[in-house]
Amino acid sequence: MEAPHVMVVGDEAHLPGNPHKYDDLLCPPAIIDPMAVEGGEEKGKKHKIRRETGDYDAAHHRFRTLTKEYSQQYAPLYYHRLQKMRPRLLQAAKERWEGKLGVSSSSSSTAKLPRIVNKILELRADEEVIVAGTLYKEMPLRPNILESYAKERSIIPPPLRSNYVSEKDRLIIEDESGRISLVGVDLPTDLVVTGIIVAIRGVELKDGDFQVDDIIFTGIPMQLKRPILEKDKYVALVSGINIGEEVRNPLAVQLMVDYLSGHIGGAAEQEFESRISRLIIAGNSLVPPEEKTDGAAVKNYQKVLCQLAASMHVDIMPGAGDPANFVLPQQPFNPCLFPTASRYATFSSVTNPYQCRVDGLFIVGHSGQPVDDIKKYIDPSKTDTLRIMEDTLNWSHLAPTTPDTLGAYPFSGEDPFVLDECPHIYFAANQATYDSKLITGPKGQVVRLISVPSFTKTSTIVLVNLKTLATHPITFNADLDL
């Protein structure tokens, strides 16, 4: 029988100081120090490698909902989103359009910036203007309340779809005063979703539609300068462990735990493992029980967390299938679920979405719901997870489809999903495959985008080098060849 082993995959998978000597598999974390020799008597003296630590700022407090009041409507959330983003959007409009003629402008027009309209109701026919508002995407194929009514009345409902895009989709822009339909040959109808804040330049037609010459988004927000670290240091990302799932191979999870806690590999391997300063478990860690159980899945997950927290800092986020609130932002797990793990100073239960600063680098991510929801309402042939993530940066919003098609808490005085600062590392978890991309914004922003795969499907975690922003996927092969 061949022993299970750790396998590093991917184009960026070269790990410095990683010799992959599998004959040293499962050796204890205490290693032999060949330099510890005094007169030849203490040759082979053991010592433990110290785990790297770093400055940490728990910056996810904006996602905490201290009150649980659901009597208010969702209109204030959209209103605050628009009001907060309008100044940045109009500034971007001036930078793009000042001194440029619009398509609908007459030949006698000057290159003066069109009039900025504060409210849609102030539009006048045949006048070129700039107006900001919230996009609404009208989609005939999108599910509606009539389907639920049909099920109750035993009427055969239409088949379920994974995507609702059609040629009949159309865009509407709205604000607190009113709405107007958009027309134009270059509208990105199949690549946008409801909830995005945009500025449009064009002319209201006599039939009541708005002829769009150009459309812009808020753009990637400003980014603080990334600190330069003196040595390599890593943050590990994993999602979709799904403890409690019968088809899951528990050996792969244990291999991951042993690797991160320093129980796998020889001296060089353990030295590299010691540079992993923090682990972020990004949701879908537990399989929701279909009926009452003895809580075995939670107990097993706590054992995993205790092993990890005994050797490193661990942040756990809830996901769509975890025992947490359904709407975003999901609140931290109740400490009573993990009473033993919660005693570790290295253990933190955090929100979803989540953001933090590690050694000065701004890390933002979520358990995957915003990306998965957006995929239902855009053309799947023209985009993927990383493209959607890049788009949300350009839209300056983590979850634009909230609260239209993705559940969200009805905030009345803020929208915590608006991005005020550009992250250095941005991840979306529980995706089908691993992927990564380094993008550069128009004002020098540099962001590492990471699609974190489901561990159940891929047995893969992702290491991010805080010094270089390089990513290293690591796959744990738990297959036993008899």
Side-chain angles (χ1 to χ4, degrees), residues 57-116:
D57 178 15
H60 62 282
H61 301 295
R62 63 183 298 180
F63 299 119
R64 295 299 300 268
T65 53
L66 302 179
T67 60
K68 302 295 188 294
E69 179 61 53
Y70 287 88
S71 61
Q72 62 268 34
Q73 298 294 316
Y74 283 106
L77 179 61
Y78 282 117
Y79 174 79
H80 184 80
R81 182 183 302 179
L82 176 58
Q83 296 305 314
K84 187 173 184 178
M85 300 175 70
R86 190 197 296 267
R88 289 167 50 191
L89 190 60
L90 294 180
Q91 178 60 36
K94 291 179 181 179
E95 294 175 359
R96 176 158 175 171
W97 292 325
E98 195 162 28
K100 297 182 180 180
L101 288 173
V103 175
S104 58
S105 301
S106 64
S107 58
S108 60
S109 299
T110 64
K112 184 179 179 181
L113 188 72
R115 181 171 70 95
I116 297 176

Side-chain angles (χ1 to χ4, degrees), residues 386-429:
L386 295 184
R387 169 66 187 272
I388 293 173
M389 295 175 67
E390 186 173 356
D391 285 342
T392 57
L393 286 179
N394 280 308
W395 301 335
S396 287
H397 204 279
L398 281 175
T401 57
T402 58
D404 181 55
T405 55
L406 184 61
Y409 180 78
F411 294 94
S412 59
E414 61 174 337
D415 182 354
F417 306 115
V418 173
L419 285 170
D420 298 317
E421 178 186 341
C422 180
H424 301 103
I425 299 170
Y426 178 26
F427 67 87

Side-chain angles (χ1 to χ4, degrees), residues 221-229 357-363 421-425 443-447 466-467 469:
M222 297 301 295
Q223 183 183 63
L224 295 181
K225 186 178 180 180
R226 178 164 62 94
I228 304 300
L229 304 185
R357 298 184 190 275
V358 180
D359 287 322
L361 277 81
F362 190 36
I363 302 175
E421 178 186 341
C422 180
H424 301 103
I425 299 170
K443 297 184 179 180
Q445 306 98 320
V446 177
V447 189
L466 300 181
K467 179 181 178 181
L469 295 185

